[in-house]
Every structure is written in structure tokens, then in C-alpha cells.
Amino acid sequence: MRVIVAGERDACKSHGVYRLEGCLRTIKAGKVETHANPVFSADEGAILRIDADGGFANAAFELGAPRLVERAHELGMAALVINDCTHFSALWPEIEALTDKGVAAMAMCPSYASVAPSGGTAPLLGTNPFAFGWPRKDQPPYVFDFATSVAARGEIELHRQAGKPLPEGWAIDREGNPTTDPAAALEGAMLPFGSHKGSAISTMIELLAGVMIGDLTSPEALEALGTTTLAPAHGELILAFDPTRFANGRPGDPFERAETLFEAIAGQGARLPSQRRFAARKKSLTEGIELSAEEWSMLERLKEKGLAAV
Amino acid sequence: MRVIVAGERDACKSHGVYRLEGCLRTIKAGKVETHANPVFSADEGAILRIDADGGFANAAFELGAPRLVERAHELGMAALVINDCTHFSALWPEIEALTDKGVAAMAMCPSYASVAPSGGTAPLLGTNPFAFGWPRKDQPPYVFDFATSVAARGEIELHRQAGKPLPEGWAIDREGNPTTDPAAALEGAMLPFGSHKGSAISTMIELLAGVMIGDLTSPEALEALGTTTLAPAHGELILAFDPTRFANGRPGDPFERAETLFEAIAGQGARLPSQRRFAARKKSLTEGIELSAEEWSMLERLKEKGLAAV
């Protein structure tokens, strides 16, 4: 719930209350362990490993994060592997939990096969989110979190629900032809961002956060579930870096030097990532969160009928 | 020399003999230490650190690579930081040296300010290459190495030398307007690949491989040199991952599972990255390397006149 509320607070609709139905559908289908008990399954060198016990990834992350930060301080860098989790949330809440503790962090995971590799014609890669954060003093971190598809699947879902056509270049249909119809896109394949470069990064995520950590790749996750309407089961890889250990006493404090870079970016009128989200957060924290009539009626329906409503 | 020959062998012209002039110009300008003695300056936890002593990065990498591989096997993951180096080569030769030893690897470095951040109007970020590799048995690795600008600076240089206009969307001129003139682009700014997403990755590289490792960012590297015609001085960050340690005995050999993914990509007609380069390599290794008349005359001129020719 915390990450869904955080999504609404930050006006990040594609990870807001709309996700509730998907989570409940996944529970109803018996595809997530609701009484999961995540545990540390290994801890060697720079790699911490949590078995999420088939539950949502969030509880596993919360268990692993403190030790990940500690290990990053100790060795300079550490990895948290989450295995056997069900994933529905954005990665930025995890990244921000780590930057709040003073480490830089990178996170990635597969999803399910819904994106065609560059030059391909059929879904194979996931929307494979890639996120990174850098701590900033007395203000929200530098953080980005994006799908390696041109758009997030959630955005295409929202277009479908709103009956709006997609921008060109987002997707191909089942025959591999370009389409702007969200329903045809969901049946066909999305396209990677930045053509072959985004496709390469998405493939890297399948390798590092799927194959390498011994968990499902996006095509395997789809095969295991047989549908894209439930939250996917796979693993996740999170890396944490201690900037002070990496700087090793060389001239210039890394956190201050980062501010110089951020000022130079903002100074020429370019926007740092997540600024719209942070502005929405500021507003939500004073004025509260607004939900649409449709969202309220969905919540009422779910409250009344529970799993029978999904 | 080895990486320049490798560039020609792989028909990777932007990192071939054309780079020689730039290297010699950098030597002539006294901006690289030709008798550099790279040394391990620190070795703690997961971070190995080499002071390149102002020399080209290659010697520092060759010194650090064996211990990086060893440490990755030991801890599961390790980082090699190279400080105070001059950089002219592609990253894939380093990635391939690591995948040859059975580890997955990621490398990144700043360059000099020549790319405008997404939404900006002036050069600030570097072309900041990002490279990744995964070992494959009995064949060249899965490897990509790309500039986080739409195109590499070397490609724009080659367009300028050939008198060809740039494709649209590669660059803006000094006033921040779109341009297809390579000379105007070199005076203005290149654009990041994948709009705000590529811009975010490029910024991450400035943070991790510039600020975090206590070395120059791209704007600082440009300020230090005062020109973009010499090879830039900065640092480099290389991460190595031991897939066997990460898989930790979970079902499925990670190297075999990766092959399944590669087959699925190639099976739908999409190309794995670097395949053109590997095909050129195969040809070069049997038929030798062909240089153009211009390249030969440049080599003759350099051989005859040495530093006086640049």
C-alpha cells in the first residue's frame, strides 16, 4: 500500500490506485503469496540475497535495504538480489529509500515479454525498468526511473482506459506493423526507447536481473503466468554505491560536486528528472491527494466486494 | 596501438587509425604523460583503484584487469576505478578482455562537454560511452558500447571530413537550433540518445564515473583542456560481476540461459549488438585490414614527420 500511496502522492498515476485491481487480480489468481515470509537466503561478499517467498517485492526490499546500505559502506559497493517476488511497484520508492541513507543506487528488473527487440517483430523483452538515484542534502534526491520501452505499459493501459490513441513510434501490432491503437499495442509489442541502444540496455537487464540472479527473464515470466493482466513474478537487482568510499579522499566532496552539475543542468533550462513528481509531492503533502470519481468508485467497489470485484 | 588496430580489425573506423592524429596532437600539446607509470593507489573491499599517472587509460586497465576479475570472483562483484587518465579508445576492448575471463562487465566514463542535456541548449554532458558485456562460450561475447549522444563525436568528425551532412536530430548549433552541418554541430552541441532517458543515463555516468570516483566531469575536462581537439583527461569506472556467484546454485546455468535469450532475439530477425564488428573481425583475421589511400598517406606523413605533422 505504501508504494501505491506514494504513487498517488507524486501524481504518478501509472503506479497509483489503478494498480490495486491488478494486485488483487494477482492475489485472486493465487499467483502471489499473501502470507509470504521473506528471508535472507545468502549473504556472501558483496552479494546479499533475499528469497521473497513468492510475495510482493516490497517486503523483501524493506528487509534487505538496511543491510545493503551497511554492506555498501563496508565494501564500497554491494548488491541486493531479490528472488521469487511478485512485482507491481515503481523502482523509485526503493531508490529513494537508499538515497535517504546516503548511498547512490541503481535498480533494475525484468517484467514480462511485451517489447520487441530493436529490429524484431514480436514481444520478447520486458518493459524492464531502470532506475538510479544520487543523494542530495536537504532536498529530494536526483532520481530517475524509466521503462526501457518508449512508454511504460501502465501508460498504454491508461490510454486504453481513456480511449486515447497512442503517439506514433510506441508500438507494433501482432503482425509487426506500427500501430497507435492501445489495444492492438497490448496484443502486439511495444518498442524499446532509443532504438538499438535502449534495446541493448533492456537486454542487459534481462541478463543481469534475470539470468544472472537465477530468476525468470521476461519471456519466462510471461510463460509462467500465461497472461499480462497479472503482476509478473521474477527477481530484482539493486546495486548500492558509497560515494565517499569511491571518492577515497580525492579533491572535492562528491556530494557538493554533484550539486555543481545539477545547477549547470537546471541553469540552462533543462529539467532534472522527477521534478514534476517532487512538485506534485509537495502539493499533496499540504493539500492532500485528489482521486477522480472513477477511482473512488473503483475503490468503493473493491472495498464492498473484495476479490469478487476483480 | 593495440586498441587502434582492434578498431581497424573490426571495421570500427571511428576508433581506428583516424584516432592516431588526435593521440599525437595530445602528446604534442603535453597533455598526456608518455612515460606514465600506472600504479594501484588503493585496494579496499570491492573497490580497486589505479592512478594512471596522466597516461593513456589502456595501460592502467591492463594493470588492473586481472585483479578486478579475481576480486569479482571473490566477492561476486568488484569495481575498478581509473583516475587521472587520458582517454581515446572505445570501451569494448576492455569489456571483451573481461568477458574473455568469464565475468560480465559494465564500463562508463565522461568525455568532454559536447552534448546538451535533454531540454537544454548548450554543451554540458559528454558523449559518455556506456558499455556492457556478457561472456559466451566458443564465440565472441554479447557486447555493446555506445555513446549516450545520438551519435559518437567520432562519427560527426567523419561526416565533417567526408563533407557529408548529418542526419536530423543529431545536434544543435551554437544558438541551440537544430542543425545538420557537422561543423556547426561541433561548435554547438550534440543531443542525447532517447531524449530525456538517454540524458538521464549520461548524467548518471557523470555522477558515477566523474564525481563519485573523484575525477573530472565532462565540463571540467573541457575546462581543463580548453579544446575538444585533444583526447580528454578524466577517470573511468568499470564494474565486473561473477554470474556464477550471483546465480548461487539456483536452477539453470546462467551462461546457458543467456544463450536461450540470444537465440530468441536473433530468431525473430533482430540483430545482437556488435555482430557487424565481429563479422568484420572474422574477415580481417583471414584477409587482413584494408586502409584507404587517405589513411595510408596520413600514416606516411606521421611516420615521416612525427609530432611535427600534427
Side-chain angles (χ1 to χ4, degrees):
Chain A
M1 275 310 296
R2 245 199 302 253
V3 296
I4 287 180
V5 171
E8 287 295 336
R9 177 199 64 199
D10 288 7
C12 177
K13 281 293 181 189
S14 61
H15 288 91
V17 294
Y18 129 83
R19 291 268 161 167
L20 269 180
E21 273 201 272
C23 290
L24 292 173
R25 264 198 311 271
T26 311
I27 291 169
K28 188 176 178 182
K31 295 298 186 188
V32 61
E33 180 52 64
T34 50
H35 295 86
N37 181 29
V39 290
F40 278 98
S41 55
D43 180 347
E44 285 180 76
I47 309 174
L48 307 171
R49 184 172 219 105
I50 290 190
D51 179 346
D53 191 27
F56 288 117
N58 316 76
F61 174 78
E62 289 184 14
L63 174 65
R67 206 188 287 188
L68 175 62
V69 171
E70 196 182 295
R71 190 63 47 89
H73 286 316
E74 192 188 323
L75 296 177
M77 170 171 83
L80 175 62
V81 170
I82 300 178
N83 283 126
D84 290 327
C85 65
T86 287
H87 215 276
F88 70 90
S89 94
L91 297 178
W92 57 257
E94 300 179 357
I95 294 288
E96 291 189 22
L98 295 171
T99 54
D100 280 355
K101 301 295 179 193
V103 296
M106 193 188 284
M108 59 188 93
C109 66
S111 46
Y112 32 51
S114 56
V115 176
S118 180
T121 54
L124 175 69
L125 304 170
T127 49
N128 298 1
F130 184 68
F132 171 78
W134 179 273
R136 302 183 70 182
K137 211 190 253 180
D138 304 326
Q139 61 182 314
Y142 174 90
V143 57
F144 65 78
D145 172 8
F146 57 72
T148 50
S149 49
V150 175
R153 196 176 173 81
E155 291 175 76
I156 295 188
E157 273 284 349
L158 290 176
H159 274 79
R160 189 184 60 78
Q161 288 177 17
K164 284 186 196 162
L166 303 177
E168 283 184 28
W170 281 26
I172 52 179
D173 66 18
R174 205 189 282 202
E175 281 73 42
N177 301 313
T179 184
T180 58
D181 174 9
L186 291 169
E187 278 179 17
M190 292 185 277
L191 292 172
F193 90 101
S195 105
H196 69 285
K197 296 184 182 183
S199 189
I201 290 177
S202 184
T203 305
M204 174 188 83
I205 293 171
E206 298 286 349
L207 290 168
L208 293 181
V211 165
M212 186 174 82
I213 65 168
D215 221 310
L216 301 185
T217 59
S218 296
E220 290 168 342
L222 180 60
E223 204 188 328
L225 271 182
T227 170
T228 60
T229 60
L230 305 178
H234 49 66
E236 183 182 349
L237 176 65
I238 302 149
L239 307 180
F241 306 85
D242 180 343
T244 307
R245 289 295 302 269
F246 269 91
N248 197 34
R250 286 178 58 90
D253 175 77
F255 299 107
E256 284 170 23
R257 292 183 61 217
E259 293 305 317
T260 306
L261 182 68
F262 300 144
E263 279 160 27
I265 292 173
Q268 63 170 264
R271 208 165 50 181
L272 294 177
S274 304
Q275 293 305 305
R276 195 164 40 187
R277 203 160 53 67
F278 293 139
R281 178 181 303 180
K282 203 171 166 187
K283 188 162 174 281
S284 298
L285 290 175
T286 53
E287 301 173 17
I289 291 170
E290 260 185 55
L291 294 180
S292 69
E294 289 76 17
E295 287 163 340
W296 272 119
S297 77
M298 182 194 80
L299 290 180
E300 291 292 341
R301 186 165 48 82
L302 295 178
K303 191 180 163 192
E304 200 178 315
K305 304 194 182 165
L307 290 181
V310 293
Chain B
M1 274 313 295
R2 248 200 300 254
V3 295
I4 286 179
V5 172
E8 287 295 335
R9 178 199 65 199
D10 288 8
C12 178
K13 281 292 180 190
S14 61
H15 288 90
V17 293
Y18 130 81
R19 290 268 161 168
L20 269 180
E21 275 201 273
C23 290
L24 291 174
R25 262 200 310 272
T26 310
I27 292 170
K28 189 176 177 182
K31 295 299 187 187
V32 61
E33 180 52 63
T34 50
H35 296 87
N37 182 29
V39 291
F40 279 99
S41 54
D43 180 347
E44 286 179 76
I47 309 174
L48 307 171
R49 182 172 221 104
I50 290 190
D51 179 345
D53 192 25
F56 288 118
N58 316 77
F61 174 78
E62 289 185 12
L63 174 65
R67 205 187 289 186
L68 175 63
V69 171
E70 195 182 295
R71 190 64 47 88
H73 287 314
E74 190 188 323
L75 295 178
M77 170 171 82
L80 176 62
V81 170
I82 300 178
N83 283 125
D84 289 327
C85 65
T86 286
H87 215 277
F88 70 91
S89 93
L91 297 178
W92 56 258
E94 300 179 357
I95 293 288
E96 292 190 22
L98 295 171
T99 53
D100 281 355
K101 301 296 178 191
V103 296
M106 193 188 284
M108 60 188 90
C109 65
S111 46
Y112 32 49
S114 56
V115 176
S118 180
T121 55
L124 176 69
L125 304 171
T127 49
N128 299 0
F130 184 67
F132 171 78
W134 179 273
R136 302 182 69 182
K137 213 191 251 179
D138 304 327
Q139 62 181 311
Y142 174 90
V143 57
F144 66 77
D145 173 7
F146 57 71
T148 48
S149 50
V150 175
R153 195 174 172 84
E155 290 175 77
I156 295 188
E157 272 284 351
L158 290 176
H159 275 78
R160 189 185 60 79
Q161 288 176 18
K164 285 184 196 162
L166 303 176
E168 284 185 25
W170 280 26
I172 52 178
D173 65 18
R174 204 189 283 201
E175 281 74 42
N177 301 313
T179 184
T180 59
D181 173 8
L186 291 169
E187 279 179 15
M190 293 187 276
L191 292 172
F193 91 101
S195 105
H196 69 284
K197 296 184 181 181
S199 189
I201 289 177
S202 185
T203 305
M204 174 188 83
I205 294 172
E206 298 286 347
L207 290 169
L208 292 182
V211 165
M212 186 175 81
I213 65 169
D215 221 310
L216 301 186
T217 60
S218 296
E220 290 168 342
L222 180 59
E223 204 188 327
L225 272 182
T227 171
T228 60
T229 60
L230 306 178
H234 48 64
E236 183 182 348
L237 177 65
I238 303 149
L239 307 180
F241 306 85
D242 180 343
T244 307
R245 290 295 302 270
F246 269 91
N248 196 35
R250 286 177 58 90
D253 175 77
F255 299 107
E256 284 169 22
R257 292 182 63 218
E259 292 306 316
T260 307
L261 181 69
F262 300 143
E263 279 160 26
I265 292 172
Q268 62 170 264
R271 206 164 53 180
L272 293 177
S274 304
Q275 293 305 304
R276 194 164 42 185
R277 203 160 53 69
F278 294 138
R281 180 183 303 182
K282 204 171 166 185
K283 190 164 173 280
S284 298
L285 290 175
T286 56
E287 301 173 18
I289 292 169
E290 261 185 54
L291 294 181
S292 69
E294 289 76 17
E295 287 164 340
W296 271 119
S297 77
M298 182 194 79
L299 290 179
E300 291 292 343
R301 186 164 46 82
L302 294 179
K303 192 179 161 192
E304 199 179 315
K305 303 194 182 167
L307 291 182
V310 294

